[in-house]
Amino acid sequence: MPPRPSWRPLVAGTVALFFVILAFLAGQLKSGGDPALGRSSAPQQTSTEPSAPDDGFVPGGTAPAPAVPDGSSAAPTTHQS
């Protein structure tokens, strides 16, 4: 009966192949070719206008002070009959 092949060359080859693939992917990411992001053919548009009006809300901040009525306007009507 011929001797059984050792499992060590298989493990060494698998580890070597893993590092070759890892080095290839690291080089691809370093060059800016991230396959997960894909290739974007549309140019990125930058907007100078805010997308929502500034109402003074700051996440994690304190609430703005309530407006002080000056008495010149009537109370708002919520239901007309």
Side-chain angles (χ1 to χ4, degrees):
M1 185 176 238
R4 251 178 101 183
S6 175
W7 54 268
R8 289 182 183 163
L10 177 64
V11 170
T14 303
V15 170
L17 181 62
F18 171 78
F19 281 114
V20 167
I21 294 172
L22 184 66
F24 170 74
L25 292 175
Q28 197 174 23
L29 290 176
K30 188 172 182 177
S31 69
D34 190 349
L37 297 178
R39 297 190 186 264
S40 173
S41 61
Q44 297 290 335
Q45 296 180 357
T46 57
S47 175
T48 57
E49 297 178 21
S51 60
D54 184 20
D55 59 356
F57 176 74
V58 177
T62 59
V68 178
D70 58 358
S72 64
S73 64
T77 303
T78 57
H79 179 68
Q80 295 179 353
S81 44

